[in-house]
Amino acid sequence: MTSTTDTDLASAVAENVDRALAEDVGSGDLTAGLIDPATQAVATIICREAAVICGQPWVAEVLRRVAPSARAQWFVPEGGRCEPNQKIVQISGSARELLTAERTCLNFLQTLSAVATKTAQFVAQVQGTNAAIVDLRKTLPGLRVAQKYAVRCGGGKNHRMGLFDAVLIKENHIAAAGGLRQAVEAARRVADRASFIQVEVETLAQLQAALDIGVNMLLLDNMPLERIREAVRITAGRASLEASGGVSLESVRALAETGVDRISVGTLTKDVKAIDFSMRFSDKPVE
């Protein structure tokens, strides 16, 4: 499995904030411009529902760009849980600058906390089994690093970051290469550039064929539970097994109990229902 380095994350945060501020602030905030630049304010961001908080590096970068003199005090750590209507962070600084930063900060928090929260729900469902919850490439364009970071905040693990860092051989790759053996042999020639080589199988016959040529990572695609259990028995630890396909909170526990090593869940990052945050101004710090 791949992971993002600190350098990759810092670069992604900067790029994400660049685009977000360009589309929201543009040439300047006309409404915030009505406020006296000398006016100071204390802004408190409140989370309106139970959630796993994620997005602090993005909030910090927005403030660095828009409100460089602002001071932020976080009451919930990154990856920490909050209750409904809990105060998450208090920010002191220029009222004008905080008003300009408000929506961009909240947008990152609502999206990334949603991913972290959903991931944590899936992780809780498989607790006590050996199965890890893994993400996919089904991410919002331009926010892949951010969403995969949020998956980690929620207790999940990352699959490949993109097409460039690992090999996942699927049915169409096998057909285009002229067969499974040919596809795997070609993959092994670029193994030094790939963090892993994985083959997707849909039948037990395909599973056996992959095991026979020494494939050590297999993706069981849309298999029914009984077939997955049989795949685990046949494999007998010779390869790492990942289950995938239409996984829900209701079905994930049964999948985990088959004995697979990982369960990949596209809904972690593609079906994002934003967490509800709001920012409120006051004239004194939160006590």
Side-chain angles (χ1 to χ4, degrees), residues 73-264:
Q73 178 186 1
W74 288 90
F75 304 124
V76 179
E78 187 81 330
R81 295 175 182 270
C82 74
E83 298 301 320
N85 298 313
Q86 186 170 344
K87 298 176 177 66
I88 304 304
V89 60
Q90 177 182 278
I91 310 168
S92 304
S94 160
R96 176 188 282 190
E97 292 172 349
L98 295 183
L99 286 166
T100 298
E102 175 181 3
R103 178 40 56 193
T104 303
C105 287
L106 296 183
N107 282 350
F108 282 119
L109 281 174
Q110 71 184 21
T111 301
L112 300 184
S113 295
V115 173
T117 300
K118 181 171 284 190
T119 302
Q121 292 170 346
F122 274 89
V123 170
Q125 286 292 92
V126 303
Q127 189 172 9
T129 73
N130 292 323
I133 297 298
V134 180
D135 57 26
L136 293 169
R137 288 165 44 238
K138 297 177 180 179
T139 54
L140 300 175
L143 288 178
R144 178 164 298 171
V145 172
Q147 288 192 284
K148 283 180 172 283
Y149 166 88
V151 166
R152 298 196 303 276
C153 279
K157 297 184 182 298
N158 297 149
H159 201 270
R160 57 180 175 167
M161 184 60 64
L163 298 174
F164 56 88
D165 64 336
V167 174
L168 174 50
I169 300 171
K170 299 187 178 184
E171 179 182 11
N172 287 337
H173 298 102
I174 293 170
L180 176 61
R181 183 178 294 276
Q182 293 92 322
V184 171
E185 288 175 352
R188 287 170 175 161
R189 290 195 289 270
V190 298
D192 60 329
R193 293 161 48 197
S195 58
F196 60 83
I197 297 171
Q198 186 177 38
V199 173
E200 179 182 271
V201 297
E202 297 177 337
T203 68
L204 295 178
Q206 291 171 349
L207 172 85
Q208 188 63 62
L211 290 172
D212 288 345
I213 58 175
V215 176
N216 60 15
M217 284 187 69
L218 294 167
L219 175 62
L220 311 178
D221 183 45
N222 282 298
M223 283 190 181
L225 286 176
E226 284 304 317
R227 190 178 299 168
I228 293 175
R229 292 190 189 98
E230 183 64 9
V232 172
R233 188 193 67 78
I234 291 170
T235 302
R238 288 179 290 166
S240 175
L241 296 180
E242 178 180 328
S244 182
V247 182
S248 68
L249 277 172
E250 292 72 30
S251 66
V252 70
R253 179 74 190 187
L255 276 172
E257 290 176 344
T258 63
V260 294
D261 302 289
R262 289 181 309 282
I263 301 171
S264 48

